Amino acid sequence: METKQFKAESKRLLDMMIHSIYTHKEIFLRELISNASDAIDKLYFRSLTDDSVGLNKEDFAIWLYADKDAKTLKIVDNGIGMTKEELENNLGTIANSGSFKFKNENKLEEDNQIIGQFGVGFYSAFMVAKKVTVISKAFGSDKAYQWESEGVDGYTISEAEKTSAGTEIILELLDDTEDEKYSEFLDQYRLKSLVKKYSDYIRFPIKMNVTHSRPKDQSEEDKEAGKAPEYEEYIEVETLNSMVPLWKKNKTELKEEDYKHFYTEKFFDYNEPIRYAHVKNEGNANYNALLYIPSKAPFDYYSKEYEKGLQLYSNGVLIMDKCADLLPDYLSFVKGLVDSEDLSLNISREMLQHDRQLKVIAKSIEKTILAELKKMLRSDREKYEEFWKVFGLQLKYGVYSDFGMNKEKIQDLLMFTSSKEQKLVTLDEYVTGMREEQKYIYYATGESAARIEQLPQTELVKDNGFEILYLTDNIDEFAIKTLNTYKDKEFKSVSSEDLGLESTEKKEELKAKEEESSDMLAALTEALSGTVSKVVLSQRLKTHPVCLTSEGEISLEMEKVLNSMPVDQKVHAQRVLEINPDHEIYGKLKALSDSGDKEKLGKYAKLLYTQACLIEGMSIEDPVEFSNLICELM
Ligand code: ADP
């Protein structure tokens, strides 16, 4: 028979398995049981609508058989089984395995640690076995096949005998060495405790013949004589697992580790979650849920491949692996599962989308997650900030998307860097810290806090001793504009026309100056026509000569963001060039204007505009002209 080679990456993983450190080896059992359980899940689900399966719920089981003489351990299931092609594809190439995909991306770093953290599937069998035989018959097929392998050298497939659908995995255990006692995996107590430890919540019974001993019946004489009884051995079938899924257990029975372990294993995340919640909801929606907030974004989170969703169970039976309808987009990072009695098992995926009960559950889940986040913000600020750095963007996106439908729910969870101490603050903290005379919540936009810090537009607001929120993400200003107000306080960009800070006295003064220099401003505006909509005297500048602001709905920052998107139509902010009337430059411009030197004034206008662009962190349209102008004036 021809021996087939494993695919290259499978070889690598196999090699890694074989050389993994001993303490991790025991997880092979968990992996094989979990596969068996998945296979039974599939056939059980099928049996609900297909009588030809011919099995009832209580008929499904996983069996363990340990044979001390032959040194083999057998794991048997009556699940869906595998066809010849499936044997080849599923066991010949590990690349199909979800866990390995994850590992590939992570450059196989710290292999051993990964193995210890969560499973690597079927191949883990080679950690304890010198030879693995898989005999399987797929449901609906009349042929069975046998897959055999002794590790890296490859595998063979041949026809086999098997009466009913399901899979048998036979492990020929490695020989014991001084440090590694593989034979303990044949010991019934060891097997029992491994099942308890890793597979207790598997929904189908894991059965094993367990040998017990009991005293033999004694004759009356012996009894009277007080003779010690003889013992005899007998065999009893035992179910080793409690079959209660973790989420159906009492919270008091469970430890933090149980939840975390379940998470890393089930959701292939090597990092512990930053928060979890075990929810038991009764009332308008009856469900149990385990919800997890990861501490890091999954590697594919920002790619199209990422699918949001929670696992959906109907009374303990998995009906969907990623039910997207259970999570709003802005909470797409949440992992977990929901188990409800309110959903019919036979519901199709298409029907599920329109299911009213599912919508009620989804609403309740959303509420719960938001409440958990609020709790975290209140009670563990440090952790919340960590969370915010990873997933804050999503929440801001949540404020902005769906026409602001969810903004009220999310607004208390938002954070921005503030000009005071450059620390993250919530909107509530900002408002609480507002001075009595302060009318608005001020914000400034820019690439980074350091950049914003230097913007001339922030001068006046800071001089008044008011805090400014620094918006550094593209989405920020859109989110703020969607909010419009927070606790009745309006948001105000430091670049907006009226900052509500100027005294009437000052305003009068400015008005007088504007009148006095109307010719000059008109000439400057003309020189910059097509670039700015107007040139005005500024009331916000203290030390800087000029700055660039905008009027109308679209700010300069929004223009940048919108134009970076792949759409044909570009938007334009209406730019306003502001000149500081208290700066030396003002006198100079005024003098030029009065002397009628329009040409020179025009050149100054261009220079000042370009300067303002540079301060804003915008690229300049004609750097050569700018450079020439500077030389000329020098
Ligand atoms: P994973 O479970 O992460 O997909 P595995 O390497 O454990 O990776 O298994 C690969 C595939 O082999 C499974 O997805 C499943 O399709 C199939 N498989 C493994 N064990 C069984 C089994 N006992 N019965 C049916 N199919 C199985």
Side-chain angles (χ1 to χ4, degrees), residues 431-440 464-466 489:
V431 169
T432 312
M434 272 170 81
R435 305 252 291 268
E436 215 170 304
E437 70 274 25
Q438 188 179 345
K439 275 207 288 212
Y440 301 115
N464 275 271
F466 298 155
K489 304 281 185 211

Side-chain angles (χ1 to χ4, degrees), residues 101 140 162 201 233 239 241 252 266 268 277 329 336 345 352 357 374 380 392 411 462 488 502 558-559 568 572 579 602:
K101 265 188 207 150
K162 192 172 184 317
Y201 59 84
E233 291 197 332
T239 296
N241 53 331
T252 48
K266 187 139 190 140
F268 303 121
D329 280 343
L345 244 186
L352 202 54
Q357 203 49 38
K374 276 181 195 159
D380 198 342
Q411 57 186 3
K462 274 197 206 148
D488 297 328
E502 305 75 8
M558 287 163 88
E559 175 192 284
D568 292 340
H572 287 286
I579 291 175

Side-chain angles (χ1 to χ4, degrees), residues 197-426:
K197 181 170 175 190
Y198 294 115
S199 314
D200 194 51
Y201 59 84
I202 293 286
R203 296 187 316 110
F204 302 100
I206 302 165
K207 297 185 181 185
M208 188 167 73
N209 291 327
V210 180
T211 312
H212 301 276
S213 66
R214 62 184 162 204
K216 275 189 184 166
D217 283 346
Q218 274 180 308
S219 64
E220 287 303 314
E221 288 148 43
D222 284 351
K223 258 189 212 162
E224 266 165 41
K227 259 196 172 174
E230 276 183 54
Y231 281 79
E232 65 176 359
E233 291 197 332
Y234 69 101
I235 291 173
E236 207 175 46
V237 178
E238 262 186 47
T239 296
L240 311 181
N241 53 331
S242 73
M243 289 187 276
V244 182
L246 187 77
W247 59 93
K248 285 203 175 168
K249 285 192 179 163
N250 256 326
K251 290 186 208 179
T252 48
E253 276 176 63
L254 296 164
K255 292 191 288 281
E256 195 176 320
E257 276 139 60
D258 297 323
Y259 290 112
K260 290 187 170 169
H261 184 78
F262 183 82
Y263 170 79
T264 44
E265 196 189 311
K266 187 139 190 140
F267 299 104
F268 303 121
D269 190 352
Y270 166 48
N271 305 291
E272 283 191 355
I274 199 159
R275 195 174 180 92
Y276 64 84
H278 186 178
V279 191
K280 288 177 184 267
N281 203 67
E282 273 168 38
N284 62 340
N286 297 299
Y287 66 87
N288 287 322
L290 283 176
L291 301 169
Y292 291 97
I293 297 169
S295 53
K296 300 233 160 64
F299 67 88
D300 60 350
Y301 191 55
Y302 293 101
S303 78
K304 278 205 207 97
E305 269 81 75
Y306 184 80
E307 276 179 79
K308 66 160 183 170
L310 301 175
Q311 272 197 337
L312 183 61
Y313 291 80
S314 163
N315 212 0
V317 183
L318 181 67
I319 50 178
M320 200 189 278
D321 203 32
K322 276 194 178 149
C323 182
D325 295 324
L326 282 171
L327 285 178
D329 280 343
Y330 73 90
L331 294 175
S332 63
F333 52 85
V334 177
K335 303 255 183 220
L337 57 88
V338 176
D339 189 353
S340 173
E341 294 158 17
D342 299 351
L343 299 165
S344 149
L345 244 186
N346 299 325
I347 198 164
S348 72
R349 280 173 187 226
E350 295 71 43
M351 294 273 290
L352 202 54
Q353 282 192 344
H354 306 291
D355 193 84
R356 274 188 50 216
Q357 203 49 38
L358 190 78
K359 292 203 169 102
V360 177
I361 296 174
K363 276 272 154 263
S364 167
I365 297 270
E366 179 184 11
K367 241 194 213 156
T368 307
I369 298 168
L370 291 173
E372 280 302 318
L373 290 174
K374 276 181 195 159
K375 263 190 243 165
M376 177 156 64
L377 174 60
R378 265 200 314 270
S379 64
D380 198 342
R381 174 67 169 229
E382 214 173 295
K383 266 221 170 119
Y384 187 81
E385 288 192 13
E386 249 176 73
F387 155 78
W388 180 256
K389 281 173 192 149
V390 183
F391 295 116
L393 199 62
Q394 298 305 310
L395 297 191
K396 292 188 281 194
Y397 164 73
V399 167
Y400 166 69
S401 58
D402 293 324
F403 310 101
M405 202 171 79
N406 299 309
K407 63 180 184 184
E408 254 113 60
K409 290 183 244 175
I410 308 171
Q411 57 186 3
D412 289 327
L413 290 167
L414 301 180
M415 291 189 126
F416 297 99
T417 305
S418 126
S419 56
K420 277 194 188 147
E421 299 178 64
Q422 303 254 352
K423 277 205 300 225
L424 284 169
V425 297
T426 63

Side-chain angles (χ1 to χ4, degrees), residues 461-500:
V461 180
K462 274 197 206 148
D463 265 18
N464 275 271
F466 298 155
E467 196 171 1
I468 303 173
L469 298 176
Y470 290 170
L471 311 192
T472 49
D473 274 326
N474 282 348
I475 184 85
D476 289 355
E477 200 175 9
F478 294 87
I480 290 289
K481 292 229 159 160
T482 310
L483 282 180
N484 193 31
T485 59
Y486 179 81
K487 298 209 166 150
D488 297 328
K489 304 281 185 211
E490 210 181 306
F491 287 96
K492 198 93 178 160
S493 161
V494 295
S495 303
S496 60
E497 239 170 301
D498 183 13
L499 290 174

Side-chain angles (χ1 to χ4, degrees), residues 35-36 39 42 77 80-82 90-91 94 97-99 121-122 167 169:
N35 281 348
K42 285 179 194 154
D77 69 69
I80 195 101
M82 284 177 271
N90 295 340
L91 309 184
I94 197 80
S97 148
S99 40
F122 170 75
T167 304
I169 295 180

